[in-house]
Amino acid sequence: MPQSTPPAVVVGAGIGGLTTALLLARQGRAVTLLERRTTLEEAGAGIQLSPNASRVLVALGLAPALTRQAVTPDELVVRSLSSGRRLATMPLGETMRARFGAPYWVIHRADLHTLLLDAARGEPNIRMAVGRKVTGVTVDGDKARLAVETAGGASEEREAGLVVGADGIWSSVRPALGDARKPVYRGYAAWRATIPAGEAPEEMAGNITGLWLGRGMHLVHYPVSRGRLINIVLVARAEGSVSEWNSKAHEADVARHLARAVPALSALADRSLDWRVWSLFDLPPPRPWGLGPVTLLGDAAHPVLPFLAQGGALAIEDAAVLADTLAGEPNDVPAALRAYEAARQPRAVHVQQAARENGRVYHMAAPLSLMRNLVMSRLSGEAMLARYAWLYGWEPPQRRDARLSAA
Ligand SMILES: Cc1cc2nc3c(=O)[nH]c(=O)nc-3n(C[C@H](O)[C@H](O)[C@H](O)COP(=O)(O)OP(=O)(O)OC[C@H]3O[C@@H](n4cnc5c(N)ncnc54)[C@H](O)[C@@H]3O)c2cc1C
């Protein structure tokens, strides 16, 4: 990489920021990661990594660490939340890997975050600066100035020729680019908890991802922590939004929703699980989504409802495309950033819309739900998988180009 290549400042050491830092550092670019937190703890919850995301992490050399920590469920089992009837099955595991060329993993967020952090800490081109909250960004030609507040209350200013705002849904970089919109609350909350596998109801046992569909709500579960824990996510209508991310939930809310489920699930409300609650928001990507040497990535650019389990995956995809466009235009950062944004806009909007639509289908009431169940029960596992080919078959540009030129 030429000497004049500007170092990068990545704001936010979440999934998107860490993946971006790793990819840019591997290209020989110096990267400073600014993270507002001083301790990088992740919520006690799981995350699904579909092949479109896992292939980027595999290309980063993280497969051995991921294979040690993640679980590869054999299948997705869809059931009715109120009757327990099995509605459909979709193969995951080896079928998914064979079809899309990369694994479908489920993993505890803390494990994913730790292995990304370990990789970043082992990278000489990455400098991690924690306890640094970016409070403002101004653009002056091909330079950006960042106002930073330290955990101790001091103010710092930094200048950079490349800034990536990967600071999540409540991004401070996004409004600094002139986007005054706030994420839109979509009337749902997600309650999450983990339960030791040995204490989980029989219906949740086995190496599966479970999806239970009910009127106005659904529940997902899958094993994490090498199968020691089962991660549970309950999504249901919620009147108001909670401002705090990862707040402690009111057990009465969980019990009220679970009361409509089969006894095995409703009994979860009687267990002393540490339920946490997330209000669910999304927001179409800003236009423009970047300015001069500044761009956005992941939830900062396009927060997405979790009904397709794709927010983290999109952030990882963004990172791969950004690294590719910067490699193509190493000395013209604004041109590379605009190319990245143009490439990502349609995909992000498509996934956001598909996630909203998935929520609508998951939460249907009778009689529409009866039609849905009938259609699902007639689909083979292969046919179910084929419906997601547009999503899981995504490849980073470098890989796609190499495959096409070899053909
Ligand atoms: C219930 C639920 C289930 C989900 N399940 C899945 C799933 O299965 N699969 C999937 O792919 N996605 C899933 N998601 C979405 C996924 O969690 C997010 O999309 C993903 O974490 C976004 O990553 P990010 O790096 O863009 O942002 P974040 O993970 O939010 O990281 C942002 C980072 O920036 C830091 N930061 C914030 N502001 C500042 C600032 N001003 N200065 C410096 N640092 C700052 C934060 O501390 C944080 O470390 C789910 C989401 C929810 C709510």
Side-chain angles (χ1 to χ4, degrees):
M1 186 154 285
Q3 282 299 309
S4 58
T5 303
V9 170
V10 176
V11 184
I15 297 167
L18 284 166
T19 309
T20 304
L22 283 167
L23 284 160
L24 298 187
R26 298 275 171 90
Q27 291 177 349
R29 196 182 284 270
V31 182
T32 300
L33 252 172
L34 299 180
E35 167 56 50
R36 76 172 168 195
R37 293 178 290 171
T38 47
T39 49
L40 295 176
E41 279 170 5
E42 273 300 297
I47 184 161
Q48 305 179 53
L49 287 174
S50 49
N52 48 318
S54 70
R55 74 175 94 252
V56 176
L57 302 180
V58 169
L60 269 170
L62 298 174
L66 279 159
T67 309
R68 274 195 300 277
Q69 300 296 341
V71 178
T72 310
D74 296 326
E75 56 183 8
L76 169 75
V77 178
V78 188
R79 292 188 178 94
S80 156
L81 192 94
S82 55
S83 71
R85 191 163 69 85
R86 190 184 270 241
L87 303 174
T89 307
M90 183 171 94
L92 300 171
E94 275 316 306
T95 310
M96 192 87 144
R97 190 193 297 263
R99 181 170 181 131
F100 298 116
Y104 163 83
W105 277 315
V106 290
I107 185 167
H108 198 290
R109 278 172 182 261
D111 291 336
L112 175 61
H113 208 234
T114 301
L115 67 88
L116 287 169
L117 273 172
D118 283 351
R121 287 188 176 123
E123 192 52 65
N125 281 335
I126 298 179
R127 214 174 68 77
M128 191 94 72
V130 296
R132 302 297 201 292
K133 179 180 175 185
V134 171
T135 53
V137 182
T138 47
V139 173
D140 183 6
D142 61 355
K143 290 266 174 292
R145 265 185 215 93
L146 293 106
V148 178
E149 200 178 287
T150 69
S155 299
E156 290 177 354
E157 201 178 88
R158 288 171 188 248
E159 200 178 81
L162 167 56
V163 175
V164 182
D167 51 344
I169 187 166
W170 303 110
S171 171
S172 301
V173 179
R174 189 175 58 232
L177 299 179
D179 183 13
R181 299 169 311 151
K182 295 264 181 272
V184 181
Y185 176 56
R186 297 293 177 186
Y188 283 94
W191 288 266
R192 299 204 273 196
T194 55
I195 183 169
E199 297 172 21
E202 202 184 305
E203 287 76 354
M204 289 186 171
N207 190 28
I208 59 161
T209 295
L211 169 62
W212 302 69
L213 304 182
R215 180 168 47 84
M217 64 189 281
H218 74 275
L219 184 141
V220 179
H221 58 84
Y222 49 81
V224 293
S225 304
R226 302 183 203 179
R228 280 187 298 105
L229 299 174
I230 306 282
N231 178 65
I232 309 169
V233 187
L234 164 70
V235 174
R237 284 249 161 236
E239 282 300 307
S241 64
V242 288
S243 53
E244 276 298 306
W245 194 236
N246 191 22
S247 312
K248 191 156 181 55
H250 297 296
E251 284 172 12
D253 291 338
V254 176
R256 184 164 43 86
H257 293 300
L258 285 180
R260 291 171 35 213
V262 289
L265 298 189
S266 59
L268 287 170
D270 303 329
R271 315 292 297 270
S272 308
L273 303 182
D274 182 20
W275 290 97
R276 301 272 151 173
V277 63
W278 279 256
S279 296
L280 302 185
F281 298 80
D282 71 3
L283 185 72
R287 277 180 183 268
W289 139 347
L291 183 65
V294 185
T295 195
L296 300 170
L297 182 140
D299 275 7
H302 43 64
V304 55
L305 293 173
F307 304 153
L308 268 180
Q310 285 296 312
L314 275 183
I316 292 169
E317 288 185 8
D318 283 351
V321 176
L322 178 62
D324 184 63
T325 57
L326 282 165
E329 293 268 15
N331 297 313
D332 189 346
V333 167
L337 298 189
R338 300 304 83 82
Y340 148 75
E341 294 152 9
R344 294 304 292 159
Q345 175 92 22
R347 171 81 173 171
V349 169
H350 188 180
V351 174
Q352 285 183 323
Q353 289 171 346
R356 258 179 252 140
E357 175 59 14
N358 233 31
R360 198 184 64 75
V361 173
Y362 281 3
H363 298 156
M364 277 173 171
L368 287 177
S369 59
L370 303 175
M371 290 291 292
R372 174 202 64 201
N373 295 354
L374 187 68
V375 171
M376 274 189 154
S377 61
R378 290 190 173 165
L379 280 177
S380 68
E382 268 302 320
M384 289 255 294
L385 214 49
R387 289 164 78 111
Y388 293 105
W390 67 273
L391 185 60
Y392 301 150
W394 180 90
E395 292 181 348
Q398 310 90 314
R399 186 183 147 109
R400 195 186 52 228
D401 294 348
R403 195 167 45 73
L404 291 179
S405 60

